[in-house]
Amino acid sequence: MTYTENLWLFFLLILGIIIVPGMDMIYVLASSLSGGRRQGLTATGGMMTGGAVHTLYGTLGTGFLVAFAPRFFLPLLVLGAAYMIWVGFSLVRSSITVSSVEGVGRRSGWTTFRQAVTTCLLNPKAYVFVLAVYPQFLKPVYGPIWLQGLVFGVMTILVQGLVYGVVALAGDRARSFLTNSPAITVWIGRGAGALLITAAAVTLWESLR
């Protein structure tokens, strides 16, 4: 797999995960509904900051393995791929819907931003997921790990900004879509799960070949 193909696969994977309705998206939407577009965009900025921290965590973890424990890199890659496949099957079998969105009240911009960062960072599954995903895509053959991590971080932040920004700006329309289109949100989740399984299988095959 070429570096460009690797980047595209990572991009599709991140896009598929971020568009699945979850706590991050709900927080952005609730902020927009209760405080207007400005609050929604502030919450989006908080989520992007949290995404940058997750990227740093995944890059440092992968870099540590490559530099100091290379013999554990392949076993972790295999375990990470297995975890990604398990998460993918869980999404495929799930029925993700959003029945309602509660307002979060009016707050200052700083409070909204801080709570958005906290919401993003306090998800323990995100850390496990990042540590499982990044070794699949950060490869020494593509150049310095830190530089690859920087590229992935920029991609993640941009996708978060695009998806959550649209949700923040859409406001009521996004709320209506999420609450009144349960079948669509279910298939978004299942599609993301299928993408996750495919990405894990491809990266695992390329690594073991």
Side-chain angles (χ1 to χ4, degrees):
M1 186 178 352
T2 66
Y3 180 58
T4 301
E5 292 170 340
N6 188 65
L7 286 180
W8 273 110
L9 188 58
F10 179 81
F11 169 76
L12 292 174
L13 174 63
I14 291 298
L15 177 62
I17 294 301
I18 291 176
I19 64 175
V20 175
M23 286 306 301
D24 291 358
M25 184 181 291
I26 296 302
Y27 185 84
V28 171
L29 179 56
S31 297
S32 180
L33 291 176
S34 63
R37 293 182 177 181
R38 184 174 180 178
Q39 290 281 12
L41 292 175
T42 299
T44 297
M47 296 303 172
M48 293 166 70
T49 302
V53 175
H54 287 315
T55 296
L56 179 62
Y57 171 82
T59 303
L60 289 177
T62 303
F64 178 85
L65 284 172
V66 171
F68 301 106
R71 65 175 176 230
F72 294 117
F73 187 82
L74 183 59
L76 180 64
L77 189 149
V78 173
L79 289 174
Y83 175 76
M84 288 170 61
I85 291 173
W86 178 77
V87 172
F89 274 117
S90 298
L91 287 172
V92 169
R93 297 175 58 191
S94 67
S95 297
I96 298 174
T97 60
V98 180
S99 58
S100 64
V101 178
E102 298 295 334
V104 292
R106 291 191 174 275
R107 302 145 303 173
S108 68
W110 167 244
T111 299
T112 298
F113 179 84
R114 177 169 47 84
Q115 290 182 350
V117 174
T118 302
T119 299
C120 185
L121 294 182
L122 287 185
N123 182 1
K125 293 181 179 179
Y127 293 95
V128 178
F129 183 79
V130 167
L131 197 56
V133 168
Y134 272 62
Q136 316 292 320
F137 295 94
L138 293 176
K139 306 291 180 61
V141 69
Y142 295 141
I145 295 296
W146 69 267
L147 185 57
Q148 295 180 60
L150 179 62
V151 173
F152 285 176
V154 171
M155 291 174 66
T156 300
I157 290 170
L158 289 178
V159 173
Q160 285 180 311
L162 175 63
V163 174
Y164 297 148
V166 168
V167 170
L169 293 175
D172 285 330
R173 291 183 180 180
R175 181 179 189 274
S176 297
F177 174 79
L178 292 174
T179 56
N180 297 329
S181 306
I184 294 178
T185 57
V186 166
W187 283 107
I188 287 176
R190 291 176 178 175
L195 181 60
L196 195 60
I197 294 170
T198 302
V202 170
T203 56
L204 183 60
W205 169 256
E206 289 289 334
S207 300
L208 295 179
R209 190 172 57 176

